[in-house]
Every structure is written in C-alpha cells, then in structure tokens.
Amino acid sequence: MLSGHTDFNSISSLISQPITALQVLMPDNVWRYVQHKDGAYVINIGDELSFMSGGILKGTMHRVVRPPQDQVSLRRLGVFHFAHFLDGISLDLLPSKKIQEEGRKIFDGVIPTTDEWEKARVKSYGVDKFVKGDEYDIEVLNGIQVRHYR
C-alpha cells in the first residue's frame, strides 16, 4: 500500500478502473474509495497548482491500497498522466484577483520554483517532517517549509 500523499506536480489524471484500489482522504478525515465510472477520468490537483492558487484548489490526498479479496486475482492496468510545469516557474501565488484576495501564504521564507519543489519532494520521500497545527499543518521537505491549510 502507498501511504497517503499528494502528487507533487500540477495535475494528475488517470482512467477510471473497475478494480477498487484508489482512496481519497475526505474532509471528515475518512478514507473513501473512488467509485468507478465507465469512460471517466479521475483528476487530482497536485501540489504545484494548489500552491499557486494559495490553497483555493486543494491538493488531493490519496493512496493506493490492496483491492478487496474478491478483486485481488483480477489484472489491473493503470493509465496515468502527470502534468508538470516548465522548470524555473515560481510557486508564488498567481496574479489572480481571487487568489490575491482569498489565497493563503503557503511558504515560509524563500518560495521555490517548480523544479526545486520536485527535487525536494523526490529527495525527501518518506523522510519529511510534519507538524500538526490548529489553523494549518507544516511540512518540512528538504528544508522547504510548506503550510497545509484545512
């Protein structure tokens, strides 16, 4: 099982699968299976787009688990696409009126670029530090502090 995580890119998409294995952490803090729909895509907002929107667009906390016993023997094939911004793009808030007025500060200190963020996430996979707070949680990845608002 993959532990709960957000994708570090901008947007991830996958073709819906009839085998139950993808779960999303819902606002009530309960993991729920993503329901299959024929011909549908599952779209996840990634970290980069979430950061640039000031958290207005929320990164999708998700995980992949072992399918239920009645589906374990079925063959599963996943088709995924992870969209990335170009290297060197600042992850600062986008110059949108809504984002400037309603978005939240995500980074403490230096704001990383897209490639700096991706390298930090890959390098710190499984060794990041996470501190729970009242208004937001702080994740420290390879020296970069990120605020995760609820």
Side-chain angles (χ1 to χ4, degrees):
M1 172 175 79
L2 285 175
S3 60
H5 65 281
T6 55
D7 293 333
F8 58 81
N9 54 311
S10 60
I11 293 177
S12 302
S13 59
L14 59 134
I15 296 172
S16 182
Q17 299 182 44
I19 299 174
T20 305
L22 180 62
Q23 293 182 330
V24 175
L25 185 61
M26 301 304 287
D28 61 0
N29 226 21
V30 174
W31 289 100
R32 292 202 172 85
Y33 285 103
V34 173
Q35 298 298 313
H36 169 67
K37 293 192 182 212
D38 285 335
Y41 283 92
V42 177
I43 307 294
N44 289 330
I45 300 295
D47 292 344
E48 294 175 347
L49 190 56
S50 182
F51 298 158
M52 295 169 96
S53 75
I56 292 172
L57 298 173
K58 304 248 185 260
T60 309
M61 181 67 70
H62 60 282
R63 66 184 184 183
V64 178
V65 298
R66 183 181 167 105
Q69 192 59 38
D70 65 331
Q71 296 179 1
V72 168
S73 64
L74 300 175
R75 186 166 183 237
R76 182 172 62 179
L77 175 66
V79 179
F80 308 90
H81 176 72
F82 299 97
H84 296 263
F85 290 118
L86 295 172
D87 287 351
I89 304 294
S90 172
L91 292 176
D92 201 359
L93 299 179
L94 292 168
S96 152
K97 182 178 178 182
K98 180 174 181 75
I99 291 171
Q100 295 298 318
E101 291 176 355
E102 298 176 28
R104 297 177 175 203
K105 178 182 174 185
I106 303 295
F107 296 101
D108 288 329
V110 177
I111 298 168
T113 62
T114 49
D115 52 309
E116 290 168 342
W117 173 250
E118 290 181 17
K119 287 174 188 163
R121 274 293 299 265
V122 170
K123 186 175 182 181
S124 64
Y125 187 76
V127 296
D128 55 329
K129 178 181 170 188
F130 200 80
V131 180
K132 292 286 231 183
D134 292 331
E135 183 183 353
Y136 56 83
D137 303 327
I138 296 178
E139 185 176 22
V140 181
L141 292 160
N142 199 28
I144 300 172
Q145 288 192 15
V146 184
R147 293 182 183 181
H148 294 283
Y149 291 89
R150 289 182 218 118

